[in-house]
Each structure stands twice: as C-alpha cells, then as structure tokens.
Amino acid sequence: MAITLVNPSGLPTVDVYRQVSVATGTRLVFIAGQVAWDADGRTVGEGDLAAQVEQCYLNVATALAEVGGSFDDVAKLTVHVVDWTPDRMPQLLDGIRRASEKLGVTPAPPATLLGVAALDIPEHLVEIEATAMLD
C-alpha cells in the first residue's frame, strides 16, 4: 500500500482523520473537487448536507477506481462546505459514515475543512477534492 496514516505523539488525536500521511507510491493522482452530482449531472440531496457529502465521497471513489485506486490510496482530502458552522459537523460526519458503509472503507486521510461562501451552483453545499498516491 502506498499510503501510511499516522497520528504523531504530541499532536491531538482526531477521530475522523489522521494528522499525517506518508506516500510512497509511484503515481500521484489529483482528483478534482467533486460535488453532489450523479452520473447524469443531477444534484443529489438538494438541501441535505449529509446526502451531498455521501455523494461527493462516492464520486471521489468512482474517480479513484477509474485509475486503479481506492480510498486506501488517498493521501489528503480538502472539504469545502458552504456557510460552515461547527453545529453542522454531525451532518458532515453522517455523510462520511454513510459513504463509508457503502464503500466498505473508513476513509481517514488527513483532511482540511474550509467554510466557503458559495460553490459552482447554489444547490451544492459541499465539494471534496482528493490527492492520492498509487503504486
């Protein structure tokens, strides 16, 4: 496996991700920010952050599979959420949990969560991009 996830001593342990990933593969893969579109370009879960997070994760997984990867190969995620406030964290985590169950994985690479004013269209509440390393 090309990615090793680590929680270093001296840094806080976060339940939903690891603080560091070490990538040792040979192909660096950048996945464009994925929004809550299905394969036909229709928005999934309009107004529902958890449903949109789930779809974004599924879309990242689809993109990774196309190049021979999976969430085990993800070195870093960046999550952009419209009008982020900490009280929305349960919805975010619910979407990750639902995607994890469907994919049979527990994605836990380092992640950055950014609150943003808007995304490409008003119906999109979240966009998730990934960087992966494949052997």
Side-chain angles (χ1 to χ4, degrees):
M1 184 178 318
I3 302 295
T4 302
L5 301 176
V6 179
N7 269 327
S9 60
L11 292 178
T13 298
V14 180
D15 291 338
V16 296
Y17 67 87
R18 304 302 173 263
Q19 296 281 8
V20 176
S21 68
V22 179
T24 58
T26 57
R27 293 189 300 148
L28 189 57
V29 177
F30 298 94
I31 306 296
Q34 296 298 304
V35 293
W37 276 332
D38 65 13
D40 297 318
R42 292 184 301 257
T43 299
V44 173
E46 191 169 332
D48 183 341
L49 180 60
Q52 289 199 15
V53 168
E54 177 183 2
Q55 185 65 44
C56 290
Y57 269 77
L58 296 175
N59 290 349
V60 168
T62 298
L64 287 165
E66 181 67 22
V67 296
S70 73
F71 260 99
D72 289 336
D73 301 306
V74 174
K76 173 83 168 58
L77 292 171
T78 303
V79 180
H80 303 85
V81 181
V82 174
D83 297 327
W84 175 257
T85 57
D87 64 313
R88 299 181 80 189
M89 184 63 81
Q91 297 167 46
L92 179 79
L93 296 177
D94 186 42
I96 294 170
R97 179 193 55 76
R98 288 162 33 181
S100 297
E101 288 174 1
K102 283 187 176 178
L103 296 169
V105 299
T106 304
T112 299
L113 174 61
L114 300 169
V116 297
L119 292 171
D120 59 333
I121 62 172
E123 292 80 18
H124 290 159
L125 304 175
V126 61
E127 182 170 330
I128 300 174
E129 62 184 69
T131 303
M133 178 67 77
L134 279 63
D135 287 325

